[in-house]
Amino acid sequence: MDAIEILQNHQVKKTSPRLSIIQALQTSQNPLSEGEVKEKMGGLYDRITFYRSVQTLEEAGIIHRIVADNTVVKYALNHCEKGHQHSPDHVHFYCTQCNSLVCLNAVKTQAYELPEGFTSNQCDVVIKGMCNKCNL
Amino acid sequence: MDAIEILQNHQVKKTSPRLSIIQALQTSQNPLSEGEVKEKMGGLYDRITFYRSVQTLEEAGIIHRIVADNTVVKYALNHCEKGHQHSPDHVHFYCTQCNSLVCLNAVKTQAYELPEGFTSNQCDVVIKGMCNKCNL
DNA sequence: TTTCATATGCAACAATGTTGCAAATAAAGT
DNA sequence: ACTTTATTTGCAACATTGTTGCATATGAAA
C-alpha cells in the first residue's frame, strides 16, 4: 500500500518526514532502528522530528516499536492495514550475533494467566539467540 | 541468605559495591532500577562501578536484568541460589501507572516454536498494564 | 605481610531521549 | 488560488543512560 494512503486511512496529516519514515520501513523486510531509517532517509533527517513522528505513527496504529534490548529499539509497519492502536500479536526474535530483529508474524504471543488484581493491555515477547542466516 | 555467602557461592570477589548492590536488592520485594539502588546505597555509589558490578553479577548468575522499556531497566536477585547463568524462567509485569516492575515467579515463560534455522537461549516476556495496587 | 591480578572510581566521551519555541506547512474555509 | 489556523517541523539546549581508558585501591593467595 502507498505511504500516503496509509496516513490517510489513519487520519494522520501527510507530512514528508512521516512519509519518508514509512517508505524507509517499507523497503525493509525487518524492523529498522533509528540509525537505519536515518540512512535510508538521507539528508532530510532530524532526530527530534524522527522521535515525534514515530510516536505519532505508533499511536495511530501504523507502526509498532520493538525494544530488543535497552539500547536496541526498532520500528516496523503493522501488517493489519485497518487496525488501530493495538499492540503486536506476534513475538520478535533478536539475533545477538548480527543484531538483526525479525518479526515472527506466524508466532503469536501466548496468553499468560495473571495474579488476582493485575490487568494487562500489552505483552512483549523477545526471543534472543541466533537467526537462520547466522546459524549456517 | 547472606550477601557475602552469595558472592562466595558464585566465585565472585567480595567487594563492597557488590555487597551493597545485593543488599539493596534484598531489602526490596520488587526489582530495582539504578536510581533506586543508588538511593539505598547512599554516598558510596559510583555510576560506572554500578554498571560494571551489575554486569559481573548477572554473568555470575546472581541477578537478572529486566528491560521493562527502553528507558526502564531493573535488576532482581535470582531465586535459584545454585543456578549459574540462565535467563529468568518467569515473566515480568510492568505497571505503566506506578512504574513498578514485578517478578511473576509463578508465571513461567512458555515455549515458542521457532522457524527453521533459528535457535534461542533466552526469552524475555514483559506484560504491561495495571498492577494490583493501582487497580484498587 | 608481600605480591599480583582484579576491581574501583574519576574524567571524558558517546548515544539516546526530552522540552521550549519560532518558523514552516497541511488542511479547511473563502 | 488565497487566507486562515492549528499542527508540525527543526533548531538549540538539556537530561538521562551507557561506555572506555587509566591510575589508584583492594581482595585473595602465597
Side-chain angles (χ1 to χ4, degrees):
Chain A
M1 182 158 43
D2 198 272
I4 291 185
E5 209 177 332
I6 293 177
L7 290 178
Q8 276 174 339
N9 287 354
H10 291 80
Q11 325 238 33
V12 175
K13 274 194 185 176
K14 292 167 282 181
T15 69
S16 54
R18 292 173 186 170
L19 288 170
S20 297
I21 291 171
I22 292 177
Q23 284 159 0
L25 296 180
Q26 282 179 328
T27 66
S28 171
Q29 191 68 22
N30 290 340
L32 298 179
S33 67
E34 176 193 347
E36 290 162 341
V37 172
K38 175 183 178 179
E39 277 190 18
K40 288 184 182 283
M41 283 177 68
L44 42 100
Y45 164 82
D46 176 73
R47 261 165 44 75
I48 291 89
T49 301
F50 174 83
Y51 280 108
R52 288 196 275 228
S53 296
V54 291
Q55 184 179 338
T56 301
L57 295 177
E58 186 181 19
E59 286 169 358
I62 297 173
I63 66 175
H64 63 280
R65 213 183 52 140
I66 307 118
V67 180
D69 205 344
N70 54 334
T71 58
V72 182
V73 179
K74 303 223 177 186
Y75 304 89
L77 288 171
N78 290 341
H79 270 149
C80 38
E81 291 80 11
K82 308 264 173 185
H84 297 71
Q85 61 271 30
H86 65 81
S87 53
D89 62 342
H90 56 274
V91 312
H92 294 100
F93 186 91
Y94 181 57
C95 178
T96 52
Q97 178 86 13
C98 69
N99 295 311
S100 69
L101 189 82
V102 185
C103 276
L104 298 182
N105 290 300
V107 185
K108 304 300 180 190
T109 62
Q110 301 176 30
Y112 289 93
E113 183 119 7
L114 296 176
E116 188 76 15
F118 289 77
T119 52
S120 74
N121 52 33
Q122 189 174 349
C123 178
D124 297 336
V125 178
V126 176
I127 301 173
K128 296 179 183 175
M130 291 232 297
C131 72
N132 50 355
K133 286 168 191 157
C134 291
N135 264 325
L136 288 181
Chain B
M1 183 156 46
D2 198 272
I4 291 184
E5 209 177 333
I6 293 177
L7 290 178
Q8 276 174 340
N9 286 354
H10 290 81
Q11 325 237 35
V12 175
K13 273 196 188 175
K14 291 168 282 181
T15 69
S16 52
R18 293 173 185 172
L19 288 170
S20 298
I21 291 171
I22 292 176
Q23 283 159 1
L25 296 180
Q26 283 179 327
T27 66
S28 171
Q29 191 67 24
N30 290 340
L32 299 178
S33 66
E34 176 192 348
E36 289 163 341
V37 172
K38 175 183 177 178
E39 277 191 16
K40 288 184 183 284
M41 285 178 67
L44 43 99
Y45 164 83
D46 175 73
R47 261 166 44 76
I48 291 89
T49 302
F50 174 82
Y51 280 107
R52 288 197 274 228
S53 296
V54 291
Q55 184 180 339
T56 300
L57 295 176
E58 186 181 19
E59 287 169 358
I62 297 173
I63 66 175
H64 62 280
R65 213 183 52 137
I66 307 118
V67 179
D69 205 345
N70 54 333
T71 58
V72 181
V73 178
K74 303 223 177 187
Y75 305 88
L77 288 170
N78 290 341
H79 271 150
C80 38
E81 291 80 11
K82 307 267 173 184
H84 298 71
Q85 60 271 33
H86 64 81
S87 54
D89 62 343
H90 57 274
V91 312
H92 293 100
F93 186 91
Y94 181 57
C95 179
T96 53
Q97 178 85 13
C98 68
N99 295 311
S100 69
L101 189 82
V102 185
C103 277
L104 298 182
N105 290 300
V107 185
K108 304 301 180 191
T109 62
Q110 303 177 30
Y112 289 92
E113 181 120 9
L114 297 176
E116 189 75 16
F118 288 78
T119 52
S120 75
N121 51 33
Q122 188 173 348
C123 177
D124 297 335
V125 179
V126 176
I127 301 172
K128 297 180 182 174
M130 292 232 297
C131 71
N132 50 356
K133 287 168 189 154
C134 291
N135 266 325
L136 289 180

